[in-house]
Coordinates of all heavy atoms in Angstrom, one line a residue:
F1 N 0.4 7.1 -1.0 CA 1.5 6.1 -1.4 C 2.7 6.3 -0.4 O 3.3 5.3 0.0 CB 1.9 6.4 -2.8 CG 3.2 5.6 -3.2 CD1 3.1 4.2 -3.4 CD2 4.3 6.3 -3.4 CE1 4.2 3.6 -3.8 CE2 5.5 5.6 -3.8 CZ 5.4 4.2 -4.0
D2 N 3.1 7.6 -0.1 CA 4.3 7.9 0.7 C 4.0 7.3 2.1 O 4.9 6.8 2.7 CB 4.6 9.3 0.8 CG 5.0 9.9 -0.5 OD1 5.7 9.1 -1.3 OD2 4.8 11.1 -0.9
R3 N 2.8 7.4 2.6 CA 2.6 6.9 4.0 C 2.6 5.4 4.0 O 3.1 4.8 4.9 CB 1.2 7.5 4.4 CG 1.3 8.9 4.8 CD 0.0 9.4 5.3 NE 0.1 10.8 5.7 CZ -0.9 11.6 6.0 NH1 -2.1 11.1 6.1 NH2 -0.6 12.9 6.2
L4 N 2.0 4.8 3.0 CA 2.0 3.3 2.9 C 3.4 2.8 2.8 O 3.8 1.8 3.4 CB 1.2 2.8 1.7 CG -0.3 3.1 1.8 CD1 -1.0 2.8 0.5 CD2 -0.9 2.2 2.9
K5 N 4.2 3.5 2.0 CA 5.6 3.1 1.8 C 6.4 3.2 3.1 O 7.2 2.2 3.5 CB 6.3 4.0 0.7 CG 7.6 3.6 0.3 CD 8.1 4.4 -0.9 CE 9.5 4.0 -1.3 NZ 9.9 4.8 -2.4
K6 N 6.2 4.2 3.9 CA 6.8 4.4 5.1 C 6.4 3.3 6.1 O 7.2 2.7 6.9 CB 6.6 5.8 5.7 CG 7.3 6.1 6.9 CD 7.2 7.6 7.2 CE 8.5 8.0 7.9 NZ 8.6 9.4 8.0
L7 N 5.1 3.0 6.2 CA 4.7 1.9 7.0 C 5.4 0.5 6.7 O 5.8 -0.2 7.6 CB 3.2 1.6 6.8 CG 2.2 2.4 7.6 CD1 0.8 2.2 7.2 CD2 2.4 2.2 9.1
I8 N 5.5 0.2 5.4 CA 6.1 -1.0 5.0 C 7.6 -0.9 5.3 O 8.2 -2.0 5.8 CB 5.9 -1.2 3.5 CG1 4.4 -1.5 3.3 CG2 6.7 -2.4 3.0 CD1 4.0 -1.5 1.8
E9 N 8.3 0.1 5.1 CA 9.7 0.3 5.4 C 10.0 0.1 6.8 O 11.0 -0.5 7.2 CB 10.3 1.7 4.9 CG 10.4 1.8 3.5 CD 10.7 3.2 3.0 OE1 10.6 4.2 3.8 OE2 11.1 3.3 1.8
N10 N 9.1 0.6 7.7 CA 9.2 0.4 9.2 C 8.8 -0.9 9.7 O 9.0 -1.2 10.9 CB 8.5 1.6 9.9 CG 9.1 2.9 9.6 OD1 10.3 3.0 9.4 ND2 8.3 3.9 9.6
G11 N 8.1 -1.7 8.9 CA 7.6 -3.1 9.3 C 6.4 -2.9 10.3 O 6.2 -4.0 10.9
K12 N 5.7 -1.8 10.3 CA 4.7 -1.6 11.3 C 3.3 -1.8 10.7 O 2.5 -0.9 10.4 CB 4.8 -0.2 11.9 CG 6.1 -0.1 12.7 CD 6.0 1.2 13.4 CE 7.4 1.3 14.2 NZ 7.4 2.4 15.1
Y13 N 3.1 -3.1 10.2 CA 1.8 -3.3 9.5 C 1.4 -4.8 9.6 O 2.3 -5.6 9.8 CB 1.8 -2.9 8.1 CG 2.8 -3.7 7.2 CD1 2.4 -4.9 6.5 CD2 4.2 -3.4 7.2 CE1 3.3 -5.7 5.8 CE2 5.1 -4.1 6.4 CZ 4.6 -5.3 5.7 OH 5.5 -6.0 5.0
N14 N 0.1 -5.0 9.5 CA -0.3 -6.4 9.4 C -0.6 -6.6 7.9 O -1.4 -5.9 7.3 CB -1.6 -6.6 10.2 CG -2.3 -7.9 10.0 OD1 -2.8 -8.2 8.9 ND2 -2.2 -8.8 11.0
K15 N 0.1 -7.6 7.3 CA 0.0 -7.8 5.9 C -1.4 -7.9 5.3 O -1.8 -7.2 4.4 CB 0.8 -9.0 5.5 CG 1.0 -9.2 3.9 CD 1.9 -10.2 3.5 CE 2.1 -10.3 2.0 NZ 3.0 -11.4 1.6
E16 N -2.2 -8.7 5.9 CA -3.6 -8.8 5.4 C -4.4 -7.5 5.5 O -5.1 -7.1 4.5 CB -4.3 -9.9 6.1 CG -5.7 -10.3 5.6 CD -6.3 -11.4 6.3 OE1 -5.6 -12.3 6.9 OE2 -7.6 -11.5 6.3
D17 N -4.3 -6.9 6.6 CA -5.0 -5.6 6.7 C -4.5 -4.5 5.8 O -5.2 -3.8 5.2 CB -4.8 -5.0 8.2 CG -5.6 -5.8 9.2 OD1 -6.5 -6.6 8.9 OD2 -5.2 -5.8 10.4
L18 N -3.2 -4.5 5.6 CA -2.6 -3.5 4.7 C -3.0 -3.8 3.2 O -3.3 -2.9 2.5 CB -1.1 -3.4 4.8 CG -0.5 -2.2 4.1 CD1 -1.1 -0.8 4.6 CD2 1.0 -2.2 4.3
L19 N -3.1 -5.0 2.9 CA -3.5 -5.4 1.5 C -4.8 -5.0 1.3 O -5.2 -4.5 0.2 CB -3.3 -6.9 1.2 CG -1.9 -7.4 1.0 CD1 -1.9 -8.9 1.0 CD2 -1.3 -6.8 -0.2
N20 N -5.8 -5.2 2.2 CA -7.2 -4.7 2.1 C -7.3 -3.2 1.9 O -8.0 -2.7 1.1 CB -8.0 -5.2 3.3 CG -8.3 -6.7 3.4 OD1 -8.3 -7.3 2.3 ND2 -8.5 -7.2 4.5
K21 N -6.5 -2.5 2.7 CA -6.5 -1.0 2.6 C -6.0 -0.6 1.2 O -6.5 0.3 0.6 CB -5.7 -0.4 3.7 CG -6.4 -0.5 5.0 CD -5.5 0.0 6.1 CE -6.2 -0.3 7.5 NZ -5.4 0.0 8.6
M22 N -4.9 -1.3 0.8 CA -4.3 -0.9 -0.5 C -5.3 -1.2 -1.7 O -5.4 -0.4 -2.6 CB -3.0 -1.7 -0.8 CG -1.9 -1.2 0.1 SD -0.4 -2.3 0.1 CE -0.2 -2.7 -1.6
D23 N -6.1 -2.3 -1.5 CA -7.1 -2.5 -2.5 C -8.1 -1.4 -2.6 O -8.5 -1.0 -3.7 CB -7.8 -3.8 -2.2 CG -7.0 -5.1 -2.4 OD1 -5.9 -5.0 -3.1 OD2 -7.3 -6.1 -1.9
I24 N -8.6 -1.0 -1.4 CA -9.6 0.1 -1.4 C -9.0 1.4 -2.0 O -9.6 2.1 -2.8 CB -10.1 0.4 0.0 CG1 -10.9 -0.9 0.4 CG2 -10.9 1.7 0.1 CD1 -11.2 -0.9 1.9
F25 N -7.7 1.7 -1.6 CA -7.0 3.0 -2.1 C -6.9 2.9 -3.6 O -7.0 3.8 -4.3 CB -5.7 3.1 -1.5 CG -5.7 3.5 0.0 CD1 -4.8 3.0 0.9 CD2 -6.7 4.4 0.5 CE1 -4.7 3.4 2.2 CE2 -6.7 4.8 1.8 CZ -5.8 4.2 2.7
L26 N -6.6 1.7 -4.1 CA -6.5 1.6 -5.6 C -7.8 1.8 -6.3 O -7.9 2.4 -7.2 CB -5.9 0.1 -5.9 CG -5.7 -0.2 -7.4 CD1 -4.7 0.7 -8.1 CD2 -5.3 -1.6 -7.6
L27 N -8.9 1.2 -5.7 CA -10.2 1.3 -6.3 C -10.7 2.8 -6.2 O -11.5 3.2 -7.2 CB -11.2 0.4 -5.6 CG -11.1 -1.1 -5.9 CD1 -12.0 -1.9 -4.9 CD2 -11.4 -1.4 -7.3
C28 N -10.3 3.5 -5.2 CA -10.7 4.9 -5.1 C -9.8 5.9 -5.8 O -9.9 7.1 -5.6 CB -10.9 5.3 -3.6 SG -12.2 4.4 -2.8
N29 N -8.8 5.4 -6.5 CA -7.8 6.1 -7.2 C -6.9 7.0 -6.3 O -6.5 8.1 -6.6 CB -8.5 7.0 -8.3 CG -9.1 6.2 -9.4 OD1 -8.5 5.3 -9.9 ND2 -10.3 6.6 -9.8
R30 N -6.7 6.5 -5.1 CA -5.8 7.2 -4.1 C -4.4 6.8 -4.4 O -3.4 7.5 -4.1 CB -6.1 6.9 -2.7 CG -7.5 7.3 -2.2 CD -7.7 8.8 -2.0 NE -6.7 9.3 -1.1 CZ -6.9 9.4 0.3 NH1 -8.0 9.0 0.8 NH2 -6.0 10.0 1.0
I31 N -4.2 5.6 -5.0 CA -2.9 5.2 -5.5 C -3.0 4.6 -6.9 O -4.1 4.2 -7.3 CB -2.2 4.1 -4.6 CG1 -3.1 2.9 -4.4 CG2 -1.9 4.7 -3.2 CD1 -2.4 1.7 -3.7
T32 N -2.0 4.6 -7.7 CA -2.0 4.1 -9.0 C -1.7 2.6 -9.0 O -1.2 2.1 -8.0 CB -1.0 4.8 -9.9 OG1 0.3 4.4 -9.4 CG2 -1.2 6.3 -10.0
N33 N -1.9 2.0 -10.1 CA -1.6 0.5 -10.3 C -0.1 0.4 -10.1 O 0.3 -0.6 -9.5 CB -2.1 0.0 -11.6 CG -2.0 -1.5 -11.6 OD1 -2.4 -2.2 -10.7 ND2 -1.5 -2.0 -12.8
E34 N 0.7 1.3 -10.6 CA 2.1 1.2 -10.5 C 2.6 1.3 -9.1 O 3.4 0.6 -8.5 CB 2.8 2.2 -11.3 CG 2.7 2.0 -12.8 CD 1.3 2.5 -13.4 OE1 0.6 3.3 -12.7 OE2 1.0 2.1 -14.5
N35 N 1.9 2.2 -8.3 CA 2.2 2.3 -6.8 C 1.8 1.0 -6.1 O 2.6 0.6 -5.2 CB 1.3 3.5 -6.2 CG 1.7 4.9 -6.7 OD1 0.8 5.7 -6.6 ND2 2.9 5.1 -7.0
Y36 N 0.7 0.5 -6.5 CA 0.2 -0.8 -5.8 C 1.3 -1.9 -6.0 O 1.5 -2.6 -5.1 CB -1.1 -1.1 -6.4 CG -1.8 -2.3 -5.8 CD1 -2.6 -2.2 -4.7 CD2 -1.6 -3.6 -6.3 CE1 -3.3 -3.2 -4.1 CE2 -2.3 -4.7 -5.8 CZ -3.1 -4.5 -4.7 OH -3.7 -5.6 -4.1
Q37 N 1.7 -2.0 -7.3 CA 2.7 -3.1 -7.6 C 4.0 -2.8 -6.8 O 4.6 -3.8 -6.3 CB 3.0 -3.1 -9.1 CG 1.8 -3.5 -9.9 CD 1.2 -4.9 -9.6 OE1 2.0 -5.9 -9.2 NE2 -0.1 -5.0 -9.5
E38 N 4.4 -1.6 -6.7 CA 5.7 -1.3 -6.0 C 5.5 -1.6 -4.5 O 6.4 -2.2 -3.9 CB 6.0 0.2 -6.2 CG 7.2 0.5 -5.5 CD 7.7 2.0 -5.7 OE1 7.2 2.6 -6.7 OE2 8.5 2.5 -4.9
L39 N 4.4 -1.3 -3.9 CA 4.1 -1.6 -2.4 C 4.1 -3.1 -2.3 O 4.6 -3.6 -1.3 CB 2.9 -0.9 -2.0 CG 2.9 0.5 -2.0 CD1 1.5 1.1 -1.8 CD2 3.9 1.0 -1.0
L40 N 3.5 -3.9 -3.2 CA 3.4 -5.3 -3.1 C 4.9 -5.9 -3.1 O 5.1 -6.8 -2.3 CB 2.6 -6.0 -4.2 CG 1.1 -5.8 -4.2 CD1 0.5 -6.5 -5.4 CD2 0.6 -6.6 -2.9
K41 N 5.7 -5.4 -4.0 CA 7.1 -5.9 -4.1 C 7.8 -5.6 -2.8 O 8.6 -6.4 -2.3 CB 7.7 -5.3 -5.3 CG 7.4 -5.8 -6.6 CD 8.1 -5.1 -7.8 CE 7.5 -5.7 -9.1 NZ 8.1 -4.9 -10.2
M42 N 7.6 -4.4 -2.2 CA 8.2 -4.1 -1.0 C 7.8 -5.1 0.2 O 8.6 -5.5 0.9 CB 7.9 -2.6 -0.5 CG 8.6 -1.6 -1.4 SD 8.0 0.1 -0.9 CE 8.8 0.1 0.7

């Protein structure tokens, strides 16, 4: 979550690619649903 948050804060990401990765991290329980929602809002 911290690494994803830092990527978003720095603007160094492709939105579609990052969303796909976040989906996988959520499914594998690497991030929580709350983390996922927070990252989406960011």
